Amino acid sequence: MKQYKGIIFDLDGVICFTDQYHYLAWKKLADRLNIYFDQEMNNRLRGVSRMDSLNLILQNSKKVYTDAEKSAFAKEKNEYYRGLLTRMSPEDLSGEVKNTMDALRERGCKLAVGSSSKNARYILERIGLAHYFDAVVDGSQIRHSKPNPEVFLFAAQRLGFLPQDCLVVEDAFAGIEAAVRGGFDSAGLGDARSCSSAQYRLAKFSELLSVASSEQ
Ligand code: B16
Ligand code: MG
C-alpha cells in the first residue's frame, strides 16, 4: 500500500452524484434551444467548467451566439441546476463514501476537495459535509478548469503537501489528465475507471482503503 499524506477528492461523480442533475439541467436548456444533447455528451462535460461545457454543447448548434447570450444561457442552466440541488440532503451521501473517508482520516491522511464547481460549497452543505474537509478548493477559486491542474495544485498547497505526496480521486478523464499534469498519482472511478493514465482503477469507492494510507 502506498503512503499518501493527502487525498484530494473530486466532488461531482465521486463524493456525490450531482452528475445526473447537471444532465437534466443542460438537457432542459438544450431542448429549449433545439440542440441535440444526450448522456454520452454529458459524460464529456465531467469536470469541465460551466462555460466550457456550454461551448461544447453549442458546437451542435448551427446558430452563433453572442457572449451576452451565452452568459444568459449559463445562468439559466445554473438556475435549473440549483433548483435540483435543493432536493439534496445528507441522505445523498452514501455510508460507503463517508465510512471510507473516516477510515482514511483515521489512518492519518488529510482530506481535501478539488472541484471545478462553483456550487461545491453549497453541495457540501446540503449533504452535511460543510465542515468535514481539511481544505476545499472549488470553481470560484481557480482560473483554469480541469484538465488544467490548478484546482489540485491549490488543494495540495492548502493541505501543505507536495503533489507527489497526494492522491487525486476522480471520475472524469479531464480530472485524471489534470492530476497527471500536476504530478499527482490518481485513482479513477466510474467513467474514469477506463482511463489508462490513472494509477489505480477502482470499481468501488471503498477500494481506496486498499490503495492509500499515511506514514504520519
Ligand atoms: P458548476 P467536479 C464539475 O464538478 C462537474 O463535473 C461539471 O459537470 C460542471 O460543469 C463543473 O463542475 C462546473 O460546475 O456549474 O456547478 O460551477 O466534477 O469538478 O466536482
Ligand atoms: Mg467529477
Side-chain angles (χ1 to χ4, degrees):
M1 201 176 329
K2 200 163 162 192
Q3 315 276 300
Y4 293 104
K5 293 178 180 169
I7 306 191
I8 305 171
F9 298 94
D10 172 54
L11 182 62
D12 166 52
V14 169
I15 289 179
C16 60
F17 297 92
T18 35
D19 40 358
Q20 272 317 294
Y21 294 147
H22 279 295
Y23 171 75
L24 291 172
W26 283 127
K27 179 74 179 150
K28 190 162 172 179
L29 177 73
D31 284 353
R32 189 178 76 67
L33 300 176
N34 258 318
I35 298 171
Y36 182 76
F37 183 69
D38 61 17
Q39 293 272 10
E40 198 252 300
M41 290 166 64
N42 192 55
N43 278 341
R44 277 186 264 142
L45 308 182
R46 286 176 193 279
V48 177
S49 73
R50 197 181 307 161
M51 215 26 128
D52 290 348
S53 298
L54 176 67
N55 283 324
L56 287 170
I57 291 169
L58 293 181
Q59 282 178 1
N60 277 346
S61 168
K62 287 185 199 86
K63 273 184 143 177
V64 176
Y65 293 100
T66 64
D67 285 349
E69 284 171 313
K70 286 190 198 174
S71 61
F73 294 156
K75 188 164 174 264
E76 183 181 333
K77 180 267 176 177
N78 196 49
E79 276 161 16
Y80 296 148
Y81 179 60
R82 293 280 295 206
L84 295 166
L85 292 181
T86 60
R87 297 180 191 173
M88 293 189 88
S89 75
E91 284 180 18
D92 289 292
L93 175 65
S94 80
E96 181 194 355
V97 168
K98 181 64 169 50
N99 295 339
T100 303
M101 293 195 302
D102 286 348
L104 291 168
R105 173 163 279 166
E106 271 164 35
R107 289 178 183 183
C109 300
K110 294 269 187 222
L111 310 182
V113 165
S115 167
S116 304
S117 174
K118 292 185 171 153
N119 294 299
R121 282 184 187 274
Y122 178 64
I123 296 165
L124 289 173
E125 219 173 90
R126 300 282 332 161
I127 61 176
L129 292 180
H131 306 290
Y132 184 79
F133 292 96
D134 300 295
V136 174
V137 179
D138 67 20
S140 63
Q141 293 157 273
I142 53 169
R143 288 202 326 180
H144 309 287
S145 90
K146 302 163 190 175
N148 187 292
E150 191 181 0
V151 70
F152 298 138
L153 290 171
F154 193 22
Q157 194 186 55
R158 293 271 309 279
L159 290 178
F161 301 136
L162 295 170
Q164 59 263 36
D165 293 325
C166 300
L167 176 71
V168 164
V169 187
E170 258 292 348
D171 72 314
F173 275 64
I176 299 288
E177 164 97 31
V180 171
R181 288 197 206 168
F184 297 86
D185 277 4
S186 61
L189 270 164
D191 209 45
R193 201 184 160 201
S194 53
C195 187
S196 58
S197 35
Q199 271 77 19
Y200 312 99
R201 292 185 242 158
L202 313 180
K204 290 200 310 189
F205 191 93
S206 57
E207 286 178 15
L208 278 172
L209 294 175
S210 41
V211 163
S213 92
S214 167
E215 60 197 349
Q216 290 174 316

